[in-house]
Amino acid sequence: MKISNVRLHAVGIPRHTGFVNKHVIVKLETDEGVTGIGEMSDFSHLPKYSIDLIDLSRTLNTLLVGRNPFDIEDINRELLDNFPEAMYYYEKGSFIRNGIDNALYDLCGKILGVSAAELLGGRVRSRMKVCYPIFRQRFMEEVESNMETVRERYGQGFDVFRLYVGKNTEADIELLKRIKSEFGSKVTIKSFDFSHLLDWKEALRTFKALVPYEVGLEMVESPAPRNDFKGLYNFRTRIDYPVSEHVWSSMQQSEMLKKDSVDIFNISPIFIGGLTAARKASALAENGRKSIVIGTTQELSIGTAAMAHLGCALPHLKFTSDPTGPKLYIGDVVKNGVQYEDGYLIAPDRNIAGLGVELDEELLEEYKVSDLGWGEVTVHQLQDRTSTK
């Protein structure tokens, strides 16, 4: 069996906040009629440039047509040569590699009649605990709308939340107070996520202001600028909570290990370039005696299904993870979206081959966009995922 064609479909799907995220759905077709699907998730990130899909399609067809889809490792090496790591969180080459790698696992699973988790080593659990994000507050007036989000999602079974912080500490404190007052111990905050906005000293001052009001805090995320390994170490050694950072390249992860910068590696296929690379990053974390969580850029159901298979195949996943993307969007492109139950992401049925989700061609057409262009989107909208300028 050989790969015969690579098809890319751009879609734009609004979040409940009004922000429209653009993704690319991948189809890997074969000469025997089996097709694997993948997702290049959320190209609506800084830096503010877009990918030319026609050019990308030509490039990927040149690289992949005629290849055996089971040559996953070799194909990943070639993809890495053509779309190299750049020590940057939102490197779009990683998004591209992730989409192709998703599709390879879906395709190979379908050919063998096994789920993607089996190709990743087999399941050790059937579900993983996840949190719902509360996006960064700029104004005190946003506290009430965020309380409404907590109430709504708590009613849907989510009892752990991730709070983006770093812009308005007074609003963050007020939100924490109100959550504790209304819910007590029934709701917890998984993390204070600084998203690299502050230097480590300012992040430490903000953390000290917030921590008296924490409710079940598991960790602090990204409390220093990107690739500031010493800053992460300085912050980490001054608090009594674990510190987490995303992994976006093998070199960056190695440097964090050398400098003992973090306690927890946040590993997401989209930022490291696919399931293959994420599995390697997880093994490196395990060898370095570090914990992991499964991170997210807030994928659709195809990308989220891939992360569910990954998370359910990793024995040292000990903390609450992040993939709740399908709950943030008003639509999707599959017939059978991933499922959540009591605050857990449920792994797709292991009796369904591949990633376990089926593409809906009508929805793919409904959400189709002509390109990945930006329009008039502002930096603030990009950072906080809102339609409000």
Side-chain angles (χ1 to χ4, degrees):
M1 183 177 292
K2 303 294 183 185
I3 297 171
S4 60
N5 196 13
V6 182
R7 297 187 189 275
L8 305 179
H9 302 265
V11 295
I13 301 186
R15 295 190 179 200
H16 292 290
T17 62
F19 186 86
V20 177
N21 286 81
K22 293 187 176 180
H23 314 260
V24 174
I25 305 304
V26 178
K27 295 179 185 174
L28 287 186
E29 299 174 349
T30 65
D31 57 0
E32 295 188 16
V34 184
T35 298
I37 59 172
E39 181 182 310
M40 299 176 184
S41 311
D42 196 2
F43 275 99
S44 303
H45 274 298
L46 292 170
K48 198 174 179 182
Y49 67 84
S50 59
I51 300 295
D52 184 324
L53 277 182
I54 295 175
D55 182 64
L56 178 60
S57 178
R58 288 171 179 160
T59 299
L60 290 173
N61 273 282
T62 299
L63 294 175
L64 298 177
V65 168
R67 301 294 301 269
N68 184 329
F70 284 96
D71 291 339
I72 294 176
E73 185 66 39
D74 195 44
I75 289 173
N76 268 275
R77 281 199 296 268
E78 187 159 1
L79 289 171
L80 190 59
D81 284 342
N82 285 272
F83 305 99
E85 294 180 336
M87 290 285 282
Y88 183 66
Y89 189 15
Y90 299 122
E91 168 51 43
K92 290 177 171 63
S94 297
F95 297 9
I96 294 166
R97 288 185 281 117
N98 175 66
I100 297 299
D101 199 45
N102 281 181
L104 287 171
Y105 277 87
D106 186 54
L107 177 57
C108 292
K110 287 174 177 174
I111 294 168
L112 294 175
V114 301
S115 76
E118 271 46 66
L119 299 177
L120 292 165
R123 287 188 184 178
V124 295
R125 65 180 66 84
S126 61
R127 61 182 192 167
M128 64 175 173
K129 187 69 174 177
V130 293
C131 61
Y132 194 87
I134 303 297
F135 291 103
R136 195 165 282 107
Q137 301 179 125
R138 291 180 297 153
F139 311 109
M140 191 65 73
E141 291 76 14
E142 293 173 300
V143 172
E144 180 54 40
S145 62
N146 282 328
M147 280 300 299
E148 285 297 325
T149 298
V150 173
R151 293 183 190 111
E152 178 185 359
R153 297 305 178 178
Y154 178 75
Q156 297 172 358
F158 293 97
D159 58 359
V160 183
F161 294 84
R162 174 164 52 119
L163 179 60
Y164 287 86
V165 299
K167 282 193 175 178
N168 189 325
T169 302
E170 290 184 2
D172 293 336
I173 289 173
E174 180 62 21
L175 179 62
L176 289 167
K177 285 180 177 179
R178 292 188 59 181
I179 289 174
K180 191 168 188 176
S181 173
E182 183 168 335
F183 293 95
S185 61
K186 292 185 293 185
V187 161
T188 59
I189 300 297
K190 170 229 175 183
S191 62
F192 296 153
D193 189 342
F194 285 91
S195 304
H196 318 110
L197 289 181
L198 306 178
D199 65 57
W200 75 266
K201 290 183 179 179
E202 190 175 357
L204 185 61
R205 288 192 292 270
T206 302
F207 169 79
K208 288 179 177 179
L210 295 176
V211 75
Y213 309 98
E214 63 96 347
V215 280
L217 189 68
E218 293 184 33
M219 67 190 73
V220 180
E221 299 189 73
S222 306
R226 286 182 293 268
N227 299 318
D228 182 5
F229 310 118
K230 186 175 181 181
L232 282 171
Y233 175 82
N234 287 334
F235 184 97
R236 174 178 174 260
T237 54
R238 285 165 170 81
I239 71 169
D240 294 326
Y241 293 82
V243 169
S244 169
E245 181 57 284
H246 299 75
V247 177
W248 50 74
S249 79
S250 55
M251 180 181 294
Q252 174 240 10
Q253 186 181 19
S254 295
E255 287 299 310
M256 287 193 287
L257 279 170
K258 288 177 189 176
K259 294 178 172 59
D260 203 18
S261 298
V262 299
D263 304 282
I264 304 166
F265 286 118
N266 185 312
I267 296 173
S268 178
I270 184 68
F271 296 128
I272 195 68
L275 292 170
T276 300
R279 194 72 176 85
K280 292 178 181 178
S282 172
L284 185 58
E286 187 173 21
N287 289 339
R289 302 295 189 269
K290 300 294 184 181
S291 299
I292 63 167
V293 297
I294 303 299
T296 186
T297 185
Q298 309 305 352
E299 295 79 356
L300 301 174
S301 277
I302 297 171
T304 304
M307 290 188 291
H309 285 290
L310 175 68
C312 289
L314 299 178
H316 57 301
L317 177 64
K318 306 296 185 184
F319 290 89
T320 303
S321 290
D322 299 332
T324 51
K327 291 292 184 180
L328 273 68
Y329 294 101
I330 67 168
D332 212 315
V333 293
V334 298
K335 295 180 179 180
N336 55 331
V338 294
Q339 299 299 308
Y340 295 87
E341 184 178 302
D342 298 329
Y344 285 84
L345 171 59
I346 309 300
D349 189 335
R350 70 187 307 165
N351 294 315
I352 301 177
L355 294 179
V357 291
E358 182 182 356
L359 193 62
D360 188 318
E361 294 291 343
E362 291 184 2
L363 290 173
L364 192 64
E365 179 66 23
E366 178 181 344
Y367 290 112
K368 179 178 70 175
V369 293
S370 59
D371 57 45
L372 300 176
W374 291 91
E376 299 302 317
V377 173
T378 67
V379 172
H380 161 67
Q381 289 172 294
L382 292 175
Q383 290 177 333
D384 297 342
R385 302 315 207 180
T386 178
S387 59
T388 305
K389 293 181 181 295

